Amino acid sequence: MAICCFPSPLKPMTPATPLTNLKPKRPDILRCNFSLPTITTTEPEPVFTSVRSFAPATVANLGPGFDFLGCAVDGLGDFVSLRVDPSVHPGELSISDISAPKKLSKNPLYNCAGIAAIATMKMLNIRSVGLSLSLEKGLPLGSGLGSSAASAAAAAVAVNELFGRKLEVKDLVLAGLESEAKVSGYHADNIAPAIMGGFVLIRSYDPLELMSLQFPVEKDLIFVLVSPDFEAPTKKMRAALPAEIGMPHHVWNCSQAGAFVASVLQGDLVGLGKALSSDKIVEPKRAPLIPGMEGVKKAALEAGAFGCTISGAGPTAVAVVDSEERGVEIGERMVETFWKEGKLKAVASVKRLDRVGARLVGSVPR
């Protein structure tokens, strides 16, 4: 399946057109109508024949920071391989292969990596070469670890690197947001840290303004991620949220989000954990939808975690500690509690902060 970002000699059609009605001689062509601007006035030439990129898992919300705070986690994520493909019509993208535990669409309009790649191609004004993309999923779907954002970030970075890194970070986030908007909503608290690494504050969405929050390099920050065998689709979990909130909860969450940001900048793990655990708006609505989550949070705190909350929309629970050994012990307690109180099998992983974000991990020069 190939997608055209620019006027094509073929008659455009809607995604709803049955594939059986298409002519077999050429790849299926679908018109994309992204509203993103073209950033480069002159079409860049590819500087590589192929590239391979990686984008990390992310933890969104971080307690009181619903839709405006997120961070990247080291050691987990998705890979994208991208190459110039003469068999793909110029200006188009084809998804050639997907390695994932669940079947994902190879139609780029219905694939997180495909949507972000097309958006990046449009920004770069790519018309003269066709591209073929391969996606390797390292993150499970609906896990609360930014699975869709990792695919989108890796794809956007791959396209940008293939053509000589012409776009700025904010452009790549906007390309990723095109993907996120179609999958789970227009929120950047996964895609921004997936691309930028570290902690990120989304100061504004219109216009998009991003702030990188530097956690001191000399401090240890360990994430305990416990993922139960339970799927929590982002759209479903967002639908559970209240349409309106009271002023007391608004004031409380604002103060806790401010405390969280200050704690990140100061490297204060105790303060960070306290703020992480303090959400009074989102977590109380979502936690009851994840069997055992409330008990898991309590078990993590009793075992010595500085803080614990739901990662993104869930169902993964995230706790913060200052050592890997302690993290392993707390993770075991959290896994036991998921089974004891929620009858859910779960797996724990202990990870550090990813300070780099999406990056090039391999390339073949022209």
Side-chain angles (χ1 to χ4, degrees):
M1 177 68 71
I3 302 299
C4 180
C5 296
F6 301 96
S8 167
L10 298 185
K11 183 179 179 180
M13 58 189 179
T14 65
T17 304
L19 299 183
T20 53
N21 294 340
L22 301 179
K23 295 181 179 180
K25 294 182 180 180
R26 290 193 53 186
D28 307 324
I29 309 297
L30 300 176
R31 185 70 57 82
C32 69
N33 296 310
F34 291 119
S35 58
L36 295 173
T38 298
I39 304 299
T40 56
T41 55
T42 303
E43 179 185 1
E45 293 187 3
V47 298
F48 299 108
T49 299
S50 65
V51 295
R52 180 172 168 82
S53 62
F54 170 82
T58 48
V59 175
N61 302 338
L62 294 167
F66 178 71
D67 275 7
F68 65 87
L69 284 174
C71 69
V73 178
D74 187 41
L76 299 170
D78 290 358
F79 290 90
V80 161
S81 297
L82 187 74
R83 63 187 175 90
V84 176
D85 191 343
S87 68
V88 177
H89 195 269
E92 295 175 10
L93 173 79
S94 175
I95 296 181
S96 58
D97 184 62
I98 299 176
S99 174
K102 290 187 177 182
K103 187 175 182 180
L104 297 175
S105 176
K106 287 187 179 181
N107 181 337
L109 286 183
Y110 301 127
N111 183 282
C112 301
I115 296 169
I118 292 168
T120 310
M121 291 172 68
K122 184 178 187 298
M123 286 180 167
L124 289 170
N125 199 28
I126 304 303
R127 298 171 179 263
S128 301
V129 297
L131 304 179
S132 181
L133 182 150
S134 176
L135 172 63
E136 182 182 333
K137 291 293 298 177
L139 293 173
L141 307 180
S143 61
L145 293 172
S147 178
S148 61
S151 297
V157 166
V159 173
N160 191 42
E161 292 287 345
L162 189 73
F163 291 96
R165 200 181 296 179
K166 304 295 184 183
L167 300 178
E168 298 179 359
V169 167
K170 188 169 77 170
D171 300 324
L172 298 178
V173 174
L174 284 170
L177 271 172
E178 287 289 320
S179 174
E180 290 288 83
K182 291 175 172 60
V183 175
S184 58
Y186 196 82
H187 57 92
D189 47 349
N190 287 116
I191 189 66
I195 289 174
M196 299 168 62
F199 287 93
V200 177
L201 165 68
I202 295 89
R203 182 179 183 180
S204 168
Y205 278 94
D206 187 18
L208 183 66
E209 294 184 34
L210 307 169
M211 299 180 68
S212 178
L213 308 176
Q214 301 299 320
F215 187 83
V217 294
E218 67 274 11
K219 295 289 185 88
D220 284 329
L221 171 59
I222 307 298
F223 296 95
V224 183
L225 303 167
V226 180
S227 301
D229 187 12
F230 181 83
E231 191 166 329
T234 302
K235 286 187 177 181
K236 177 182 177 182
M237 299 302 279
R238 291 180 82 87
L241 303 182
E244 297 180 354
I245 59 172
M247 184 61 74
H249 282 176
H250 165 69
V251 172
W252 171 264
N253 264 43
C254 286
S255 66
Q256 298 307 307
F260 184 92
V261 171
S263 297
V264 168
L265 298 177
Q266 295 170 0
D268 176 8
L269 279 181
V270 174
L272 187 155
K274 185 177 180 180
L276 182 81
S277 304
S278 67
D279 176 32
K280 288 187 177 182
I281 297 173
V282 177
E283 184 183 312
K285 297 295 183 181
R286 286 178 168 173
L289 302 179
I290 304 170
M293 177 59 75
E294 292 162 310
V296 167
K297 177 177 180 176
K298 182 179 179 181
L301 296 175
E302 289 179 348
F306 294 124
C308 181
T309 189
I310 302 171
S311 177
T316 295
V318 56
V320 290
V321 295
D322 58 359
S323 76
E324 293 186 5
E325 293 175 335
R326 197 175 186 185
V328 171
E329 296 173 359
I330 292 172
E332 291 174 351
R333 289 283 301 275
M334 294 169 72
V335 168
E336 291 171 0
T337 306
F338 257 128
W339 177 250
K340 181 179 179 181
E341 298 197 14
K343 295 298 183 285
L344 293 177
K345 294 181 179 180
V347 293
S349 57
V350 178
K351 302 294 180 182
R352 293 181 177 272
L353 181 70
D354 185 310
R355 299 176 183 268
V356 180
R359 61 265 200 185
L360 185 70
V361 295
S363 62
V364 176
R366 295 190 74 186

Short mmCIF file of all heavy atoms in Angstrom, two decimals, residues 10 17 20 24 28 69 86 95 98 109 113 178 201-202 229 253-254 275 285 320 326 328 362:
data_model
loop_
_atom_site.label_atom_id
_atom_site.label_comp_id
_atom_site.label_asym_id
_atom_site.label_seq_id
_atom_site.Cartn_x
_atom_site.Cartn_y
_atom_site.Cartn_z
N LEU A 10 -3.22 9.65 -10.90
CA LEU A 10 -4.34 8.76 -10.68
C LEU A 10 -5.47 9.50 -9.99
O LEU A 10 -5.26 10.43 -9.23
CB LEU A 10 -3.92 7.57 -9.82
CG LEU A 10 -2.84 6.68 -10.43
CD1 LEU A 10 -2.62 5.48 -9.52
CD2 LEU A 10 -3.22 6.21 -11.81
N THR A 17 -12.69 2.93 0.01
CA THR A 17 -12.81 2.19 -1.24
C THR A 17 -12.29 0.78 -1.06
O THR A 17 -11.17 0.59 -0.60
CB THR A 17 -12.00 2.88 -2.35
OG1 THR A 17 -12.46 4.22 -2.47
CG2 THR A 17 -12.16 2.14 -3.67
N THR A 20 -10.39 -4.55 -3.29
CA THR A 20 -10.61 -5.48 -4.37
C THR A 20 -10.98 -4.76 -5.66
O THR A 20 -10.90 -5.35 -6.74
CB THR A 20 -11.75 -6.45 -4.01
OG1 THR A 20 -12.90 -5.69 -3.63
CG2 THR A 20 -11.34 -7.36 -2.88
N PRO A 24 -4.58 -3.99 -10.17
CA PRO A 24 -3.45 -4.68 -9.57
C PRO A 24 -2.10 -4.25 -10.13
O PRO A 24 -1.08 -4.63 -9.60
CB PRO A 24 -3.73 -6.15 -9.90
CG PRO A 24 -4.51 -6.09 -11.18
CD PRO A 24 -5.35 -4.86 -11.09
N ASP A 28 -1.74 0.65 -4.45
CA ASP A 28 -2.93 1.45 -4.19
C ASP A 28 -2.51 2.87 -3.81
O ASP A 28 -1.62 3.07 -3.00
CB ASP A 28 -3.72 0.83 -3.03
CG ASP A 28 -4.01 -0.63 -3.29
OD1 ASP A 28 -4.24 -0.96 -4.46
OD2 ASP A 28 -3.98 -1.42 -2.33
N LEU A 69 2.64 16.86 30.53
CA LEU A 69 3.92 16.39 31.04
C LEU A 69 4.18 14.96 30.56
O LEU A 69 3.26 14.13 30.50
CB LEU A 69 3.93 16.40 32.57
CG LEU A 69 4.09 17.74 33.29
CD1 LEU A 69 3.94 17.56 34.79
CD2 LEU A 69 5.43 18.39 32.95
N PRO A 86 13.01 2.31 -5.62
CA PRO A 86 12.64 2.65 -7.01
C PRO A 86 11.30 2.04 -7.44
O PRO A 86 10.68 2.53 -8.39
CB PRO A 86 13.79 2.08 -7.84
CG PRO A 86 14.93 1.95 -6.87
CD PRO A 86 14.30 1.61 -5.56
N ILE A 95 4.48 0.71 3.10
CA ILE A 95 4.91 -0.08 4.26
C ILE A 95 5.11 -1.51 3.80
O ILE A 95 4.16 -2.19 3.41
CB ILE A 95 3.89 0.00 5.41
CG1 ILE A 95 3.78 1.44 5.91
CG2 ILE A 95 4.30 -0.93 6.55
CD1 ILE A 95 2.80 1.62 7.06
N ILE A 98 5.84 -5.35 8.78
CA ILE A 98 5.58 -4.99 10.17
C ILE A 98 5.83 -6.20 11.05
O ILE A 98 5.26 -7.27 10.82
CB ILE A 98 4.13 -4.50 10.38
CG1 ILE A 98 3.85 -3.25 9.55
CG2 ILE A 98 3.87 -4.22 11.86
CD1 ILE A 98 2.41 -2.78 9.63
N LEU A 109 -2.18 5.15 5.82
CA LEU A 109 -3.16 6.07 6.40
C LEU A 109 -3.74 5.55 7.70
O LEU A 109 -4.35 6.31 8.46
CB LEU A 109 -4.29 6.35 5.41
CG LEU A 109 -3.97 7.25 4.24
CD1 LEU A 109 -5.21 7.50 3.40
CD2 LEU A 109 -3.38 8.58 4.69
N ALA A 113 3.17 4.84 12.16
CA ALA A 113 4.43 5.18 11.50
C ALA A 113 4.19 5.77 10.12
O ALA A 113 4.85 6.74 9.72
CB ALA A 113 5.32 3.94 11.40
N GLU A 178 0.24 14.50 14.02
CA GLU A 178 -0.72 14.10 12.99
C GLU A 178 -1.13 12.65 13.19
O GLU A 178 -2.29 12.29 13.02
CB GLU A 178 -0.09 14.27 11.59
CG GLU A 178 0.07 15.69 11.14
CD GLU A 178 -1.27 16.34 10.81
OE1 GLU A 178 -2.13 15.65 10.21
OE2 GLU A 178 -1.46 17.51 11.13
N LEU A 201 7.73 19.43 29.04
CA LEU A 201 6.51 20.16 29.40
C LEU A 201 5.93 20.78 28.13
O LEU A 201 6.64 21.49 27.41
CB LEU A 201 6.83 21.25 30.42
CG LEU A 201 5.76 22.33 30.66
CD1 LEU A 201 4.54 21.72 31.34
CD2 LEU A 201 6.32 23.47 31.49
N ILE A 202 4.68 20.47 27.83
CA ILE A 202 4.00 21.12 26.71
C ILE A 202 3.37 22.39 27.25
O ILE A 202 2.36 22.35 27.94
CB ILE A 202 2.94 20.20 26.06
CG1 ILE A 202 3.60 18.97 25.42
CG2 ILE A 202 2.18 20.97 24.97
CD1 ILE A 202 3.76 17.81 26.34
N ASP A 229 -1.55 -7.98 32.12
CA ASP A 229 -2.13 -8.55 30.90
C ASP A 229 -3.56 -8.03 30.76
O ASP A 229 -4.53 -8.74 31.01
CB ASP A 229 -2.11 -10.08 30.97
CG ASP A 229 -2.55 -10.72 29.67
OD1 ASP A 229 -2.65 -10.01 28.66
OD2 ASP A 229 -2.83 -11.94 29.66
N ASN A 253 -4.29 20.21 41.58
CA ASN A 253 -3.49 19.61 40.52
C ASN A 253 -2.48 20.58 39.93
O ASN A 253 -1.36 20.20 39.58
CB ASN A 253 -4.40 19.05 39.42
CG ASN A 253 -4.67 17.57 39.60
OD1 ASN A 253 -4.92 17.11 40.72
ND2 ASN A 253 -4.61 16.81 38.52
N CYS A 254 -2.87 21.86 39.81
CA CYS A 254 -1.92 22.86 39.31
C CYS A 254 -0.72 22.99 40.25
O CYS A 254 0.44 23.04 39.80
CB CYS A 254 -2.61 24.21 39.16
SG CYS A 254 -3.74 24.33 37.75
N ALA A 275 4.62 14.34 44.17
CA ALA A 275 3.78 14.98 43.17
C ALA A 275 3.22 13.95 42.18
O ALA A 275 2.06 14.05 41.76
CB ALA A 275 4.57 16.06 42.43
N LYS A 285 -10.46 8.44 38.27
CA LYS A 285 -11.44 7.95 37.30
C LYS A 285 -10.95 6.72 36.55
O LYS A 285 -11.72 5.83 36.19
CB LYS A 285 -11.80 9.05 36.30
CG LYS A 285 -12.46 10.27 36.93
CD LYS A 285 -13.81 9.92 37.52
CE LYS A 285 -14.51 11.16 38.09
NZ LYS A 285 -15.82 10.83 38.69
N VAL A 320 8.64 5.32 40.99
CA VAL A 320 9.98 5.89 40.89
C VAL A 320 10.77 5.58 42.16
O VAL A 320 10.24 5.67 43.27
CB VAL A 320 9.95 7.41 40.62
CG1 VAL A 320 9.45 7.69 39.23
CG2 VAL A 320 9.11 8.13 41.65
N ARG A 326 16.47 -1.74 44.46
CA ARG A 326 15.22 -1.42 45.13
C ARG A 326 14.05 -1.51 44.15
O ARG A 326 12.96 -1.95 44.49
CB ARG A 326 15.32 0.00 45.71
CG ARG A 326 14.28 0.33 46.76
CD ARG A 326 14.57 1.71 47.31
NE ARG A 326 13.71 2.05 48.42
CZ ARG A 326 13.71 3.24 49.00
NH1 ARG A 326 14.52 4.19 48.57
NH2 ARG A 326 12.90 3.49 50.02
N VAL A 328 13.76 -3.52 41.60
CA VAL A 328 13.41 -4.93 41.37
C VAL A 328 12.51 -5.44 42.49
O VAL A 328 11.51 -6.12 42.23
CB VAL A 328 14.69 -5.79 41.26
CG1 VAL A 328 14.33 -7.27 41.26
CG2 VAL A 328 15.46 -5.43 40.00
N GLY A 362 21.37 3.41 12.54
CA GLY A 362 22.05 2.74 11.45
C GLY A 362 21.76 3.44 10.14
O GLY A 362 20.72 4.07 9.97
#
